[in-house]
Amino acid sequence: MGDMNGDHANRVPKIIFVGVDGVLVRFAEQMSDAANAAALAFHKHIENIAPVGIREAAPSLTAVYLKLDLDADIVQVVQSVTEEVHARDWFAEPMLQSRVWTIPCSFDGPQLSEAAQLAGVNETQAVAQITATQVRVLTLGFAPGQPYLGNLESHWNIARMDGVAPRVPARALVVAVAQLIIFANETPTGWRHIGQSAFQCFDQNRAEPFAFQAGDRVQFVSAARSEIDALWDDSFGGARLEVVS
């Protein structure tokens, strides 16, 4: 793996070879709203122009992975990618805000109190702060359609647990590192379980199996557990989707 750009300013994306058929366009070493927005803007641009020689484009928190077509002229493809990377200031692109989800959640997870204490607030304040914050889908990963949602205020930059909770249920809401996740499946995790939704991130029976798109906004609203239970058979768990023009 080699870095094609060398040691440039932090705002200049780095183009890195990954294996024999991949290129990573990395916008920052560490997660930030600006770097994430730049990565999402570049990914959308690549999807829109569908350049010859790119078989797949996938965004992450701060980068975009491009899978190359080895039957194409790789030198020409990489040159084309380089030109697109430097064609504009991706950090200056407006943040994607075209869709907003409102999702009911019961804030009764077994580790809500512990997470709140680590964040320096009480449980009531924790719920109030989370439901007052419109978070953004930074990327999808780990499980089909599973979102990393951020960022919460800096005091929510709490570490993951030293150990692992062996079984956190599907559709649970968990928190760590100033981010939230709705779990697509039951899974072990080091993130703290603070609530429960009925929202299915992935449903193969839907016309669009992945509910979220990177860049979507998400607003949680507090609900009783009985309300969440009543919504369990609804694929979207009572969520509302607003498309912003």
Side-chain angles (χ1 to χ4, degrees):
M1 181 170 70
D3 189 331
M4 298 171 56
N5 277 3
D7 186 19
H8 290 283
N10 290 336
R11 284 174 64 94
V12 177
K14 293 184 177 181
I15 303 175
I16 302 167
F17 287 115
V18 181
V20 297
D21 64 348
V23 166
L24 188 72
V25 181
R26 188 168 63 198
F27 291 84
E29 297 285 347
Q30 296 183 339
M31 168 61 200
S32 69
D33 279 342
N36 180 252
L40 295 185
F42 181 72
H43 173 257
K44 184 176 183 179
H45 174 70
I46 292 296
E47 291 279 281
N48 287 340
I49 67 173
V52 174
I54 303 296
R55 297 182 60 186
E56 179 183 357
S60 68
L61 290 175
T62 62
V64 178
Y65 172 75
L66 304 175
K67 185 176 179 63
L68 308 182
D69 182 352
L70 293 181
D71 292 329
D73 182 336
I74 296 300
V75 173
Q76 181 59 45
V77 173
V78 173
Q79 179 61 36
S80 176
V81 168
T82 303
E83 290 172 0
E84 295 298 335
V85 168
H86 295 289
R88 65 182 79 166
D89 180 1
W90 296 102
F91 287 88
E93 293 295 305
M95 196 171 291
L96 303 175
Q97 298 185 37
S98 59
R99 307 192 332 158
V100 179
W101 291 94
T102 302
I103 302 178
C105 179
S106 62
F107 287 89
D108 54 0
Q111 294 162 311
L112 174 62
S113 178
E114 180 182 349
Q117 184 177 11
L118 289 169
V121 296
N122 61 39
E123 291 185 35
T124 300
Q125 291 169 325
V127 174
Q129 289 177 4
I130 290 171
T131 55
T133 304
Q134 193 175 87
V135 289
R136 185 163 51 89
V137 178
L138 304 172
T139 192
L140 303 174
F142 184 75
Q146 183 165 293
Y148 289 78
L149 305 168
N151 284 322
L152 297 174
E153 294 183 40
S154 59
H155 59 273
W156 282 100
N157 189 19
I158 62 177
R160 298 171 182 84
M161 298 184 295
D162 291 336
V164 173
R167 295 179 63 183
V168 173
R171 315 187 205 182
L173 184 69
V174 300
V175 66
V177 294
Q179 295 176 27
L180 300 164
I181 294 175
I182 301 175
F183 276 159
N185 304 305
E186 179 184 282
T187 186
T189 185
W191 294 51
R192 288 175 174 83
H193 180 191
I194 62 170
Q196 185 65 49
S197 79
F199 189 91
Q200 287 185 257
C201 304
F202 173 81
D203 184 348
Q204 62 184 358
N205 296 316
R206 291 192 302 237
E208 295 291 338
F210 285 17
F212 292 119
Q213 298 173 9
D216 284 358
R217 295 280 178 168
V218 178
Q219 185 90 48
F220 289 101
V221 293
S222 185
R225 175 55 72 100
S226 59
E227 295 177 74
I228 299 302
D229 291 343
L231 294 168
W232 201 255
D233 291 334
D234 176 1
S235 180
F236 290 113
R240 300 193 318 272
L241 174 62
E242 177 186 5
V243 179
V244 181
S245 58

